[in-house]
Amino acid sequence: MPEGDTVWQAAKRLHQALAGQALIRSDFRVAKYATVDLTGRIVLGTSPRGKHLLTRFEGGLTLHTHLRMEGVWKVYGTGERWRGGPAHQVRAVLGTADHTAVGYRLQVLELLRTAEEQRVVGHLGPDLLGPDWDPGRALTNLLSDPVRPLGEALLDQRNLAGIGNVYKSELCFLLGVTPWLPVGALPVDRAEKLPALAKRLLEVNRDRPVRQTTDLHLHDLFVYGRALRPCLRCGTPVRVAGQGNGSQERPTYWCPTCQAGPSPTPGAPTRRPEYRSRRPRRAD
C-alpha cells in the first residue's frame, strides 16, 4: 500500500533513472494530455511531497502524479520487457536513452506549470520525510479538532503528510490507544511523542524492501493485516473494523487489550484473517 515511505522510494527511483537526461519518448495515455509531447526536454528531477510525486522538466513544467491505492511507477532499462501490468493500464511513459519509466494505474496525472505546484500540494501539512517537517506544527494540526478520532486525524494529509492506513493502525498500537480515541483525549506525554514516532517509523522504512514496525524476526507489523490472529504482545485476537466518513472507510486494526479507548460496537462483523508474507513490497 503506497504511503509516504513507498512514495519516497518511487521518487528516488524516478530521479536516479531520469534526472539530467533528455526525453526521447513521451507518451501520456489519458485523453486530456494525449497530444502533449515532452520529447527533447531535460528531466530536472522528481521529488516526493507526502503521497504526491512531482517530476519537473526544463521549461517550467511539472508532472504531478498520485499512486492512490493501485498506482505504480516502474523503471526499465533499454530493451527490458515491461512487467507492471497490461498495456491498457499504462497512463504515462517517460523514456531516456538509458531508462524508461512507465506509470501504471495512475489515478491522478496532470501537467502544470512548476510555478503552480502549490495548487496541488499546498494544502498538505508538514511532510514526515520532507525538508519542511515541523513536529510542533504537525501536533498543533492534529489537536486542532480535539473530538476527531485519532485514526481519522492521522490520515488527514492536511495535518501531516505521509501516513496511510498501515501506519495509522501501527502508530495507534504503539501509542497504546485505539484509532477511535478522540485526539483531545490522548494523554499529553503520548501526544508529545507522536510526531517523532511517526517520523521515525517512516524514516527507518524508506530504504527497506519490507516495511517493518516491530523488532521481531518473523513478524513485520504489530496489528495491520492480523485480524483474528493473536496480538504479538498479549495474545488477544486482533480486531478489524472500518473507520472513516462512511464513503471511504478503511480497514482499521487494533488490539482490544493493549489499546485503550473507544472501539466499534462489539459483535460488529470482522474480516477474515489475511495471509501476510515477508515478500518485498511492491516497487511503487
Side-chain angles (χ1 to χ4, degrees), residues 67-256:
L67 305 180
R68 293 286 173 87
M69 295 295 291
E70 299 296 333
V72 59
W73 276 102
K74 295 280 190 177
V75 175
Y76 304 103
T78 303
E80 185 178 357
R81 183 173 65 88
W82 298 359
R83 303 178 304 278
H88 72 267
Q89 294 182 348
V90 174
R91 296 292 178 266
V93 181
L94 301 173
T96 68
D98 300 318
H99 296 95
T100 300
V102 184
Y104 293 88
R105 301 173 296 279
L106 301 175
Q107 296 184 39
V108 174
L109 185 155
E110 62 178 323
L111 279 169
L112 64 155
R113 304 300 303 181
T114 300
E116 299 174 350
E117 287 179 357
Q118 285 296 100
R119 175 173 62 81
V120 294
V121 297
H123 65 287
L124 299 175
D127 187 343
L128 283 154
L129 295 178
D132 70 316
W133 174 243
D134 183 337
R137 181 178 157 216
L139 183 57
T140 298
N141 291 346
L142 286 168
L143 297 175
S144 64
D145 186 356
V147 301
R148 191 176 194 186
L150 176 59
E152 293 182 21
L154 288 171
L155 286 183
D156 190 336
Q157 303 299 294
R158 296 170 299 180
N159 291 331
L160 68 173
I163 292 178
N165 215 35
V166 177
Y167 284 119
K168 175 193 79 172
S169 294
E170 294 295 295
L171 273 168
C172 288
F173 178 83
L174 291 169
L175 291 169
V177 298
T178 72
W180 290 271
L181 182 79
V183 176
L186 188 63
V188 174
D189 61 328
R190 296 183 225 185
E192 290 177 344
K193 75 176 185 179
L194 190 161
L197 177 60
K199 181 175 178 60
R200 184 164 71 250
L201 287 181
L202 267 71
E203 279 189 333
V204 300
N205 281 295
R206 67 183 181 185
D207 292 314
R208 288 176 173 171
V210 177
R211 183 182 289 135
Q212 188 171 10
T213 60
T214 79
D215 57 0
L216 304 174
H217 175 61
L218 296 178
H219 302 286
D220 302 321
L221 304 173
F222 280 109
V223 290
Y224 187 86
R226 292 185 52 81
L228 305 185
R229 282 185 271 175
C231 171
L232 298 177
R233 283 185 177 169
C234 73
T236 303
V238 171
R239 295 188 60 192
V240 60
Q243 182 180 37
N245 58 15
S247 62
Q248 292 183 323
E249 290 199 348
R250 306 288 182 87
T252 300
Y253 302 82
W254 81 103
C255 172

Side-chain angles (χ1 to χ4, degrees), residues 17-68:
L18 305 177
Q21 306 296 311
L23 292 178
I24 62 173
R25 182 175 183 180
S26 164
D27 184 5
F28 297 107
R29 301 182 186 181
V30 294
K32 184 176 181 179
Y33 303 112
T35 61
V36 173
D37 185 5
L38 301 182
T39 301
R41 292 181 185 253
I42 302 294
V43 181
L44 302 180
T46 298
S47 297
R49 181 72 174 86
K51 298 181 184 181
H52 300 252
L53 287 163
L54 301 169
T55 300
R56 302 179 180 100
F57 308 92
E58 68 173 346
L61 285 180
T62 293
L63 174 64
H64 167 230
T65 57
H66 194 298
L67 305 180
R68 293 286 173 87

